[in-house]
Each structure stands twice: as structure tokens, then as C-alpha cells.
Short mmCIF file of all heavy atoms in Angstrom, two decimals:
data_model
loop_
_atom_site.label_atom_id
_atom_site.label_comp_id
_atom_site.label_asym_id
_atom_site.label_seq_id
_atom_site.Cartn_x
_atom_site.Cartn_y
_atom_site.Cartn_z
N MET W 266 -34.83 4.05 107.79
CA MET W 266 -34.88 4.45 109.23
C MET W 266 -33.81 3.70 109.94
O MET W 266 -33.70 2.43 109.87
CB MET W 266 -36.27 4.19 109.74
CG MET W 266 -36.39 4.57 111.19
SD MET W 266 -38.05 4.21 111.95
CE MET W 266 -39.16 4.86 110.78
N SER W 267 -33.09 4.38 110.78
CA SER W 267 -32.04 3.72 111.55
C SER W 267 -32.56 2.92 112.70
O SER W 267 -33.67 3.15 113.24
CB SER W 267 -31.04 4.78 112.05
OG SER W 267 -31.56 5.54 113.10
N GLN W 268 -31.74 2.00 113.18
CA GLN W 268 -32.16 1.25 114.36
C GLN W 268 -32.25 2.16 115.54
O GLN W 268 -33.15 1.99 116.41
CB GLN W 268 -31.07 0.16 114.67
CG GLN W 268 -31.13 -1.01 113.69
CD GLN W 268 -32.44 -1.81 113.78
OE1 GLN W 268 -33.44 -1.51 113.03
NE2 GLN W 268 -32.51 -2.71 114.72
N GLU W 269 -31.37 3.14 115.68
CA GLU W 269 -31.42 4.04 116.79
C GLU W 269 -32.80 4.82 116.86
O GLU W 269 -33.44 4.98 117.86
CB GLU W 269 -30.26 5.00 116.73
CG GLU W 269 -30.23 5.96 117.95
CD GLU W 269 -29.03 6.87 117.94
OE1 GLU W 269 -28.22 6.93 116.96
OE2 GLU W 269 -28.86 7.59 118.90
N ALA W 270 -33.24 5.27 115.67
CA ALA W 270 -34.49 5.99 115.55
C ALA W 270 -35.62 5.09 116.01
O ALA W 270 -36.59 5.53 116.65
CB ALA W 270 -34.74 6.53 114.14
N LYS W 271 -35.61 3.85 115.57
CA LYS W 271 -36.64 2.93 115.99
C LYS W 271 -36.67 2.71 117.51
O LYS W 271 -37.70 2.68 118.12
CB LYS W 271 -36.52 1.55 115.32
CG LYS W 271 -36.73 1.60 113.81
CD LYS W 271 -36.47 0.30 113.17
CE LYS W 271 -36.67 0.35 111.64
NZ LYS W 271 -36.36 -0.98 111.07
N ILE W 272 -35.49 2.54 118.14
CA ILE W 272 -35.44 2.35 119.50
C ILE W 272 -35.89 3.59 120.30
O ILE W 272 -36.70 3.48 121.25
CB ILE W 272 -33.94 2.02 119.98
CG1 ILE W 272 -33.60 0.64 119.48
CG2 ILE W 272 -33.78 2.10 121.47
CD1 ILE W 272 -32.12 0.25 119.53
N ILE W 273 -35.50 4.77 119.82
CA ILE W 273 -35.99 6.02 120.47
C ILE W 273 -37.53 6.11 120.39
O ILE W 273 -38.28 6.47 121.37
CB ILE W 273 -35.36 7.28 119.81
CG1 ILE W 273 -33.90 7.28 120.23
CG2 ILE W 273 -36.07 8.54 120.26
CD1 ILE W 273 -33.04 8.24 119.40
N ALA W 274 -38.09 5.79 119.22
CA ALA W 274 -39.55 5.79 119.04
C ALA W 274 -40.22 4.86 120.01
O ALA W 274 -41.19 5.16 120.67
CB ALA W 274 -39.97 5.55 117.63
N LEU W 275 -39.72 3.59 120.12
CA LEU W 275 -40.21 2.62 121.03
C LEU W 275 -40.14 3.08 122.48
O LEU W 275 -41.09 2.83 123.30
CB LEU W 275 -39.60 1.26 120.80
CG LEU W 275 -39.90 0.56 119.50
CD1 LEU W 275 -39.04 -0.68 119.30
CD2 LEU W 275 -41.42 0.18 119.58
N GLU W 276 -38.96 3.67 122.84
CA GLU W 276 -38.85 4.14 124.20
C GLU W 276 -39.97 5.17 124.53
O GLU W 276 -40.58 5.14 125.61
CB GLU W 276 -37.53 4.82 124.38
CG GLU W 276 -36.36 3.79 124.53
CD GLU W 276 -35.01 4.47 124.56
OE1 GLU W 276 -34.89 5.57 124.24
OE2 GLU W 276 -34.11 3.72 124.99
N HIS W 277 -40.21 6.12 123.64
CA HIS W 277 -41.21 7.14 123.87
C HIS W 277 -42.61 6.49 123.91
O HIS W 277 -43.42 6.85 124.78
CB HIS W 277 -41.18 8.18 122.78
CG HIS W 277 -40.07 9.19 122.98
ND1 HIS W 277 -40.24 10.26 123.78
CD2 HIS W 277 -38.86 9.21 122.45
CE1 HIS W 277 -39.16 11.02 123.74
NE2 HIS W 277 -38.25 10.37 122.94
N LEU W 278 -42.85 5.49 123.12
CA LEU W 278 -44.15 4.81 123.18
C LEU W 278 -44.35 4.09 124.46
O LEU W 278 -45.41 4.18 125.14
CB LEU W 278 -44.24 3.82 121.95
CG LEU W 278 -45.45 2.94 121.94
CD1 LEU W 278 -46.68 3.82 121.74
CD2 LEU W 278 -45.32 1.90 120.85
N VAL W 279 -43.34 3.35 124.95
CA VAL W 279 -43.41 2.61 126.22
C VAL W 279 -43.63 3.69 127.41
O VAL W 279 -44.44 3.42 128.27
CB VAL W 279 -42.10 1.79 126.42
CG1 VAL W 279 -42.03 1.26 127.94
CG2 VAL W 279 -42.11 0.65 125.49
N VAL W 280 -42.90 4.81 127.39
CA VAL W 280 -43.00 5.70 128.47
C VAL W 280 -44.41 6.27 128.46
O VAL W 280 -45.09 6.36 129.54
CB VAL W 280 -41.96 6.87 128.35
CG1 VAL W 280 -42.35 8.06 129.19
CG2 VAL W 280 -40.58 6.39 128.64
N ARG W 281 -44.96 6.63 127.31
CA ARG W 281 -46.33 7.15 127.23
C ARG W 281 -47.35 6.07 127.73
O ARG W 281 -48.26 6.41 128.46
CB ARG W 281 -46.62 7.62 125.87
CG ARG W 281 -48.04 8.06 125.58
CD ARG W 281 -48.60 9.15 126.51
NE ARG W 281 -47.66 10.15 126.88
CZ ARG W 281 -47.72 10.86 128.02
NH1 ARG W 281 -48.72 10.60 128.85
NH2 ARG W 281 -46.92 11.75 128.32
N LEU W 282 -47.22 4.85 127.28
CA LEU W 282 -48.12 3.78 127.71
C LEU W 282 -48.06 3.53 129.18
O LEU W 282 -49.13 3.34 129.87
CB LEU W 282 -47.77 2.50 126.96
CG LEU W 282 -48.15 2.51 125.46
CD1 LEU W 282 -47.57 1.23 124.77
CD2 LEU W 282 -49.62 2.52 125.28
N MET W 283 -46.81 3.56 129.74
CA MET W 283 -46.71 3.35 131.23
C MET W 283 -47.38 4.47 131.96
O MET W 283 -48.01 4.24 132.99
CB MET W 283 -45.23 3.20 131.54
CG MET W 283 -44.55 1.93 130.99
SD MET W 283 -45.21 0.41 131.64
CE MET W 283 -44.60 0.53 133.30
N LYS W 284 -47.18 5.68 131.57
CA LYS W 284 -47.75 6.83 132.25
C LYS W 284 -49.30 6.78 132.13
O LYS W 284 -49.99 7.00 133.12
CB LYS W 284 -47.28 8.19 131.64
CG LYS W 284 -45.84 8.45 132.00
CD LYS W 284 -45.43 9.82 131.41
CE LYS W 284 -44.01 10.18 131.81
NZ LYS W 284 -43.52 11.47 131.27
N GLU W 285 -49.86 6.45 130.97
CA GLU W 285 -51.26 6.32 130.79
C GLU W 285 -51.81 5.21 131.70
O GLU W 285 -52.88 5.33 132.30
CB GLU W 285 -51.66 6.10 129.36
CG GLU W 285 -51.41 7.30 128.42
CD GLU W 285 -52.24 8.45 128.71
OE1 GLU W 285 -53.43 8.22 129.09
OE2 GLU W 285 -51.75 9.62 128.65
N LEU W 286 -51.11 4.09 131.68
CA LEU W 286 -51.59 2.93 132.55
C LEU W 286 -51.61 3.34 134.02
O LEU W 286 -52.56 2.98 134.71
CB LEU W 286 -50.61 1.74 132.31
CG LEU W 286 -50.92 0.48 132.98
CD1 LEU W 286 -52.24 -0.10 132.44
CD2 LEU W 286 -49.81 -0.51 132.72
N GLN W 287 -50.57 4.01 134.41
CA GLN W 287 -50.51 4.43 135.84
C GLN W 287 -51.59 5.41 136.16
O GLN W 287 -52.27 5.27 137.18
CB GLN W 287 -49.18 5.06 136.11
CG GLN W 287 -48.86 5.27 137.60
CD GLN W 287 -47.35 5.52 137.84
OE1 GLN W 287 -46.55 5.00 137.12
NE2 GLN W 287 -47.07 6.33 138.76
N VAL W 288 -51.90 6.37 135.34
CA VAL W 288 -52.93 7.34 135.57
C VAL W 288 -54.32 6.77 135.51
O VAL W 288 -55.16 6.96 136.34
CB VAL W 288 -52.77 8.56 134.59
CG1 VAL W 288 -53.95 9.50 134.65
CG2 VAL W 288 -51.53 9.33 134.85
N LYS W 289 -54.58 5.98 134.42
CA LYS W 289 -55.99 5.57 134.15
C LYS W 289 -56.38 4.30 134.99
O LYS W 289 -57.55 4.17 135.31
CB LYS W 289 -56.16 5.26 132.71
CG LYS W 289 -56.11 6.62 131.87
CD LYS W 289 -56.42 6.43 130.46
CE LYS W 289 -56.42 7.78 129.76
NZ LYS W 289 -56.75 7.72 128.41
N SER W 290 -55.41 3.47 135.32
CA SER W 290 -55.81 2.29 136.06
C SER W 290 -55.11 2.15 137.41
O SER W 290 -55.39 1.21 138.13
CB SER W 290 -55.53 1.07 135.16
OG SER W 290 -54.15 0.91 135.01
N GLY W 291 -54.30 3.05 137.73
CA GLY W 291 -53.61 3.02 139.02
C GLY W 291 -52.62 1.94 139.26
O GLY W 291 -52.11 1.75 140.32
N ILE W 292 -52.20 1.31 138.15
CA ILE W 292 -51.18 0.30 138.22
C ILE W 292 -49.81 1.00 138.33
O ILE W 292 -49.44 1.77 137.44
CB ILE W 292 -51.23 -0.66 136.98
CG1 ILE W 292 -52.57 -1.38 136.97
CG2 ILE W 292 -50.06 -1.66 137.03
CD1 ILE W 292 -52.77 -2.18 135.79
N SER W 293 -49.08 0.63 139.33
CA SER W 293 -47.72 1.20 139.55
C SER W 293 -46.72 0.75 138.50
O SER W 293 -46.58 -0.43 138.32
CB SER W 293 -47.22 0.89 140.96
OG SER W 293 -45.86 1.32 141.08
N SER W 294 -46.09 1.76 137.88
CA SER W 294 -45.06 1.38 136.91
C SER W 294 -43.84 0.70 137.63
O SER W 294 -43.15 -0.05 136.95
CB SER W 294 -44.60 2.61 136.15
OG SER W 294 -44.04 3.57 137.03
N ASN W 295 -43.66 0.98 138.88
CA ASN W 295 -42.51 0.39 139.62
C ASN W 295 -42.65 -1.15 139.68
O ASN W 295 -41.74 -1.83 139.55
CB ASN W 295 -42.52 0.94 141.03
CG ASN W 295 -42.05 2.39 141.04
OD1 ASN W 295 -41.42 2.86 140.13
ND2 ASN W 295 -42.45 3.06 142.12
N ILE W 296 -43.91 -1.59 139.84
CA ILE W 296 -44.16 -3.05 139.89
C ILE W 296 -43.82 -3.67 138.53
O ILE W 296 -43.13 -4.72 138.47
CB ILE W 296 -45.59 -3.38 140.28
CG1 ILE W 296 -45.85 -2.99 141.71
CG2 ILE W 296 -46.00 -4.86 140.10
CD1 ILE W 296 -47.28 -2.95 142.19
N ILE W 297 -44.25 -3.01 137.47
CA ILE W 297 -44.02 -3.57 136.15
C ILE W 297 -42.51 -3.56 135.78
O ILE W 297 -41.99 -4.54 135.29
CB ILE W 297 -44.82 -2.77 135.05
CG1 ILE W 297 -46.32 -2.99 135.33
CG2 ILE W 297 -44.39 -3.16 133.68
CD1 ILE W 297 -47.16 -2.05 134.56
N PHE W 298 -41.80 -2.51 136.16
CA PHE W 298 -40.39 -2.45 135.86
C PHE W 298 -39.57 -3.43 136.71
O PHE W 298 -38.71 -4.03 136.19
CB PHE W 298 -39.89 -0.99 136.14
CG PHE W 298 -40.08 -0.15 134.96
CD1 PHE W 298 -40.97 0.96 135.01
CD2 PHE W 298 -39.39 -0.31 133.81
CE1 PHE W 298 -41.19 1.73 133.88
CE2 PHE W 298 -39.59 0.47 132.69
CZ PHE W 298 -40.48 1.55 132.74
N GLU W 299 -40.05 -3.67 137.94
CA GLU W 299 -39.36 -4.61 138.79
C GLU W 299 -39.50 -6.07 138.21
O GLU W 299 -38.55 -6.81 138.17
CB GLU W 299 -39.87 -4.59 140.20
CG GLU W 299 -39.16 -5.46 141.20
CD GLU W 299 -37.65 -5.33 141.24
OE1 GLU W 299 -37.17 -4.24 141.14
OE2 GLU W 299 -36.94 -6.35 141.39
N LYS W 300 -40.73 -6.36 137.64
CA LYS W 300 -40.91 -7.70 137.13
C LYS W 300 -40.11 -7.80 135.86
O LYS W 300 -39.52 -8.83 135.53
CB LYS W 300 -42.41 -7.88 136.81
CG LYS W 300 -43.16 -8.14 138.07
CD LYS W 300 -44.64 -8.40 137.73
CE LYS W 300 -45.41 -8.71 138.98
NZ LYS W 300 -46.83 -9.02 138.69
N ALA W 301 -40.01 -6.72 135.04
CA ALA W 301 -39.21 -6.75 133.85
C ALA W 301 -37.74 -6.94 134.11
O ALA W 301 -37.00 -7.71 133.47
CB ALA W 301 -39.42 -5.49 133.00
N ARG W 302 -37.27 -6.22 135.17
CA ARG W 302 -35.84 -6.37 135.61
C ARG W 302 -35.56 -7.81 136.05
O ARG W 302 -34.53 -8.35 135.65
CB ARG W 302 -35.53 -5.37 136.70
CG ARG W 302 -34.08 -5.34 137.13
CD ARG W 302 -33.85 -4.41 138.34
NE ARG W 302 -34.36 -5.01 139.58
CZ ARG W 302 -33.66 -6.00 140.24
NH1 ARG W 302 -32.47 -6.43 139.70
NH2 ARG W 302 -34.15 -6.47 141.30
N THR W 303 -36.44 -8.39 136.81
CA THR W 303 -36.28 -9.80 137.17
C THR W 303 -36.19 -10.71 136.01
O THR W 303 -35.37 -11.62 135.96
CB THR W 303 -37.37 -10.16 138.16
OG1 THR W 303 -37.35 -9.33 139.31
CG2 THR W 303 -37.22 -11.59 138.56
N GLU W 304 -37.06 -10.52 135.04
CA GLU W 304 -37.10 -11.29 133.80
C GLU W 304 -35.77 -11.17 133.08
O GLU W 304 -35.22 -12.18 132.58
CB GLU W 304 -38.24 -10.99 132.94
CG GLU W 304 -39.61 -11.49 133.46
CD GLU W 304 -40.69 -11.06 132.59
OE1 GLU W 304 -40.56 -10.80 131.35
OE2 GLU W 304 -41.89 -11.08 133.06
N ILE W 305 -35.26 -9.94 133.00
CA ILE W 305 -33.94 -9.72 132.23
C ILE W 305 -32.91 -10.57 132.93
O ILE W 305 -32.02 -11.22 132.25
CB ILE W 305 -33.55 -8.20 132.24
CG1 ILE W 305 -34.48 -7.50 131.22
CG2 ILE W 305 -32.14 -8.05 131.90
CD1 ILE W 305 -34.38 -6.00 131.25
N LEU W 306 -32.84 -10.55 134.28
CA LEU W 306 -31.80 -11.14 135.01
C LEU W 306 -31.89 -12.68 135.15
O LEU W 306 -30.98 -13.35 135.42
CB LEU W 306 -31.70 -10.58 136.39
CG LEU W 306 -31.31 -9.01 136.44
CD1 LEU W 306 -31.29 -8.53 137.83
CD2 LEU W 306 -29.93 -8.82 135.74
N THR W 307 -33.10 -13.24 134.96
CA THR W 307 -33.32 -14.68 135.13
C THR W 307 -33.60 -15.44 133.84
O THR W 307 -33.58 -16.68 133.87
CB THR W 307 -34.47 -14.95 136.15
OG1 THR W 307 -35.67 -14.32 135.64
CG2 THR W 307 -34.09 -14.36 137.43
N SER W 308 -33.87 -14.76 132.75
CA SER W 308 -34.22 -15.48 131.47
C SER W 308 -32.98 -15.83 130.72
O SER W 308 -31.93 -15.32 130.99
CB SER W 308 -35.24 -14.68 130.71
OG SER W 308 -34.59 -13.58 130.15
N ASN W 309 -33.20 -16.61 129.66
CA ASN W 309 -32.07 -16.95 128.78
C ASN W 309 -31.75 -15.83 127.82
O ASN W 309 -30.73 -15.87 127.18
CB ASN W 309 -32.48 -18.24 127.99
CG ASN W 309 -32.45 -19.45 128.88
OD1 ASN W 309 -31.76 -19.53 129.91
ND2 ASN W 309 -33.21 -20.44 128.56
N TYR W 310 -32.69 -14.88 127.68
CA TYR W 310 -32.46 -13.76 126.80
C TYR W 310 -32.36 -12.55 127.65
O TYR W 310 -33.23 -12.29 128.42
CB TYR W 310 -33.64 -13.59 125.77
CG TYR W 310 -33.45 -12.45 124.86
CD1 TYR W 310 -32.58 -12.56 123.75
CD2 TYR W 310 -34.18 -11.30 124.99
CE1 TYR W 310 -32.45 -11.50 122.91
CE2 TYR W 310 -34.06 -10.22 124.17
CZ TYR W 310 -33.16 -10.32 123.11
OH TYR W 310 -33.03 -9.24 122.27
N PRO W 311 -31.40 -11.69 127.52
CA PRO W 311 -30.44 -11.54 126.42
C PRO W 311 -29.19 -12.46 126.52
O PRO W 311 -28.31 -12.37 125.66
CB PRO W 311 -30.00 -10.09 126.49
CG PRO W 311 -30.18 -9.75 127.94
CD PRO W 311 -31.25 -10.58 128.37
N GLY W 312 -29.10 -13.34 127.45
CA GLY W 312 -28.01 -14.32 127.53
C GLY W 312 -26.86 -13.93 128.41
O GLY W 312 -27.02 -14.03 129.64
N ASP W 313 -25.78 -13.54 127.90
CA ASP W 313 -24.52 -13.35 128.64
C ASP W 313 -24.67 -12.22 129.68
O ASP W 313 -25.47 -11.30 129.48
CB ASP W 313 -23.35 -13.14 127.72
CG ASP W 313 -23.49 -11.87 127.00
OD1 ASP W 313 -23.09 -10.80 127.48
OD2 ASP W 313 -23.97 -11.89 125.80
N PRO W 314 -23.96 -12.29 130.81
CA PRO W 314 -24.04 -11.35 131.86
C PRO W 314 -23.85 -9.83 131.42
O PRO W 314 -24.52 -8.96 131.93
CB PRO W 314 -23.03 -11.76 132.86
CG PRO W 314 -22.82 -13.19 132.63
CD PRO W 314 -23.03 -13.38 131.16
N GLU W 315 -22.96 -9.68 130.48
CA GLU W 315 -22.72 -8.29 129.97
C GLU W 315 -23.93 -7.70 129.33
O GLU W 315 -24.30 -6.54 129.58
CB GLU W 315 -21.54 -8.29 129.05
CG GLU W 315 -21.09 -6.89 128.64
CD GLU W 315 -19.84 -6.95 127.73
OE1 GLU W 315 -18.91 -7.66 128.04
OE2 GLU W 315 -19.87 -6.29 126.64
N ARG W 316 -24.58 -8.43 128.50
CA ARG W 316 -25.80 -8.01 127.83
C ARG W 316 -26.92 -7.83 128.80
O ARG W 316 -27.73 -6.93 128.70
CB ARG W 316 -26.13 -8.93 126.73
CG ARG W 316 -25.19 -8.85 125.45
CD ARG W 316 -25.54 -9.77 124.38
NE ARG W 316 -26.73 -9.38 123.80
CZ ARG W 316 -27.48 -10.19 123.02
NH1 ARG W 316 -27.08 -11.45 122.83
NH2 ARG W 316 -28.61 -9.78 122.50
N GLN W 317 -27.04 -8.76 129.83
CA GLN W 317 -28.08 -8.69 130.82
C GLN W 317 -27.85 -7.34 131.61
O GLN W 317 -28.89 -6.67 131.88
CB GLN W 317 -28.02 -9.86 131.81
CG GLN W 317 -28.60 -11.14 131.20
CD GLN W 317 -28.50 -12.25 132.17
OE1 GLN W 317 -27.55 -12.34 133.01
NE2 GLN W 317 -29.46 -13.16 132.08
N GLU W 318 -26.66 -7.08 131.97
CA GLU W 318 -26.43 -5.84 132.73
C GLU W 318 -26.71 -4.62 131.95
O GLU W 318 -27.30 -3.65 132.46
CB GLU W 318 -24.97 -5.82 133.21
CG GLU W 318 -24.66 -4.78 134.21
CD GLU W 318 -25.48 -4.86 135.54
OE1 GLU W 318 -25.77 -5.96 135.91
OE2 GLU W 318 -25.76 -3.79 136.14
N ALA W 319 -26.38 -4.63 130.65
CA ALA W 319 -26.67 -3.50 129.75
C ALA W 319 -28.18 -3.34 129.57
O ALA W 319 -28.70 -2.19 129.62
CB ALA W 319 -26.00 -3.67 128.42
N ALA W 320 -28.95 -4.42 129.45
CA ALA W 320 -30.33 -4.34 129.30
C ALA W 320 -31.01 -3.83 130.57
O ALA W 320 -31.97 -3.05 130.58
CB ALA W 320 -30.90 -5.77 128.94
N LYS W 321 -30.49 -4.28 131.75
CA LYS W 321 -31.02 -3.82 133.03
C LYS W 321 -30.81 -2.32 133.23
O LYS W 321 -31.67 -1.59 133.63
CB LYS W 321 -30.30 -4.53 134.18
CG LYS W 321 -30.90 -4.21 135.55
CD LYS W 321 -30.26 -5.00 136.69
CE LYS W 321 -28.84 -4.57 137.03
NZ LYS W 321 -28.68 -3.50 137.96
N GLY W 322 -29.61 -1.85 132.78
CA GLY W 322 -29.32 -0.45 132.80
C GLY W 322 -30.19 0.38 131.90
O GLY W 322 -30.65 1.46 132.31
N ALA W 323 -30.51 -0.16 130.75
CA ALA W 323 -31.36 0.53 129.83
C ALA W 323 -32.81 0.60 130.34
O ALA W 323 -33.48 1.64 130.29
CB ALA W 323 -31.37 -0.16 128.44
N LEU W 324 -33.23 -0.46 131.04
CA LEU W 324 -34.59 -0.52 131.66
C LEU W 324 -34.64 0.53 132.79
O LEU W 324 -35.60 1.26 132.91
CB LEU W 324 -34.86 -1.91 132.20
CG LEU W 324 -36.23 -2.09 132.80
CD1 LEU W 324 -37.37 -1.95 131.78
CD2 LEU W 324 -36.30 -3.44 133.57
N GLU W 325 -33.61 0.69 133.57
CA GLU W 325 -33.59 1.57 134.64
C GLU W 325 -33.59 3.04 134.16
O GLU W 325 -34.17 3.88 134.72
CB GLU W 325 -32.38 1.32 135.50
CG GLU W 325 -32.42 0.07 136.40
CD GLU W 325 -31.19 -0.41 136.95
OE1 GLU W 325 -30.15 0.12 136.74
OE2 GLU W 325 -31.22 -1.39 137.75
N ASP W 326 -32.91 3.25 133.03
CA ASP W 326 -32.87 4.57 132.40
C ASP W 326 -34.33 4.90 131.97
O ASP W 326 -34.85 6.01 132.13
CB ASP W 326 -31.99 4.68 131.23
CG ASP W 326 -30.50 4.64 131.65
OD1 ASP W 326 -30.22 4.79 132.79
OD2 ASP W 326 -29.67 4.44 130.69
N LEU W 327 -35.04 3.94 131.42
CA LEU W 327 -36.39 4.12 130.87
C LEU W 327 -37.31 4.37 132.12
O LEU W 327 -38.19 5.28 132.06
CB LEU W 327 -36.85 2.90 130.16
CG LEU W 327 -38.15 2.99 129.34
CD1 LEU W 327 -38.06 4.12 128.34
CD2 LEU W 327 -38.40 1.66 128.63
N ALA W 328 -37.11 3.61 133.22
CA ALA W 328 -37.98 3.87 134.40
C ALA W 328 -37.74 5.23 134.92
O ALA W 328 -38.70 5.85 135.48
CB ALA W 328 -37.58 2.78 135.46
N ALA W 329 -36.54 5.81 134.84
CA ALA W 329 -36.28 7.11 135.35
C ALA W 329 -37.03 8.16 134.55
O ALA W 329 -37.37 9.24 135.15
CB ALA W 329 -34.74 7.42 135.34
N LEU W 330 -37.32 7.92 133.30
CA LEU W 330 -38.07 8.89 132.52
C LEU W 330 -39.54 8.97 132.95
O LEU W 330 -40.13 10.00 132.82
CB LEU W 330 -38.06 8.45 131.03
CG LEU W 330 -36.72 8.63 130.31
CD1 LEU W 330 -36.84 8.01 128.87
CD2 LEU W 330 -36.28 10.04 130.23
N ILE W 331 -40.01 7.89 133.50
CA ILE W 331 -41.44 7.87 134.01
C ILE W 331 -41.52 8.49 135.34
O ILE W 331 -42.50 9.19 135.62
CB ILE W 331 -41.96 6.39 133.97
CG1 ILE W 331 -42.07 5.95 132.51
CG2 ILE W 331 -43.31 6.34 134.62
CD1 ILE W 331 -42.38 4.53 132.35
N GLY W 332 -40.50 8.29 136.16
CA GLY W 332 -40.51 8.91 137.44
C GLY W 332 -41.22 8.22 138.48
O GLY W 332 -41.81 7.67 139.07
#
């Protein structure tokens, strides 16, 4: 199985979990994504600014799928 296929599967899993969490418990996905974005930008991982920006962009793409 390719890395790309694993990432796609994980993205779908995260989107489904976030939607279920929002519907069943009323927790806003926006709050969770904002906290994740902050962690990406302030933690030591992924490290360099280029990778941080790429990770932030990927997170924003994922958030757009949830709506």
C-alpha cells in the first residue's frame, strides 16, 4: 500500500470522525482545527517554516472538506 493511499484513508477517517463528533456532541470542528493549526505553528514538529506552512495548508484543506 502506498503512502498516498494511507494518507487518503486517514483523511477520510478524520473527516468522518470530525463530522460525527460535531453532530453527536455539538463540539465545533472549527475549535479543534484552530487548536491544531496553533500547535502546528508553535511546536517543534514539523520543524522548519516551509514544512509548517505545508502542514497548515493541508489542515486547512481538510477543514474545508468538513465545512
Side-chain angles (χ1 to χ4, degrees):
M266 180 183 311
S267 72
Q268 287 296 94
E269 184 178 6
K271 289 178 184 179
I272 291 169
I273 291 168
L275 287 171
E276 286 176 341
H277 281 275
L278 178 63
V279 168
V280 167
R281 175 52 40 207
L282 288 170
M283 294 294 291
K284 286 181 178 180
E285 292 293 324
L286 184 63
Q287 192 164 325
V288 169
K289 292 186 177 183
S290 65
I292 296 173
S293 172
S294 60
N295 292 335
I296 292 170
I297 295 169
F298 278 110
E299 183 57 34
K300 288 182 179 184
R302 187 184 73 78
T303 299
E304 286 179 20
I305 287 171
L306 297 176
T307 60
S308 70
N309 291 332
Y310 179 76
D313 63 86
E315 185 176 313
R316 290 178 66 199
Q317 284 179 326
E318 191 62 32
K321 183 177 79 84
L324 181 68
E325 289 167 353
D326 289 347
L327 192 58
L330 291 174
I331 294 172

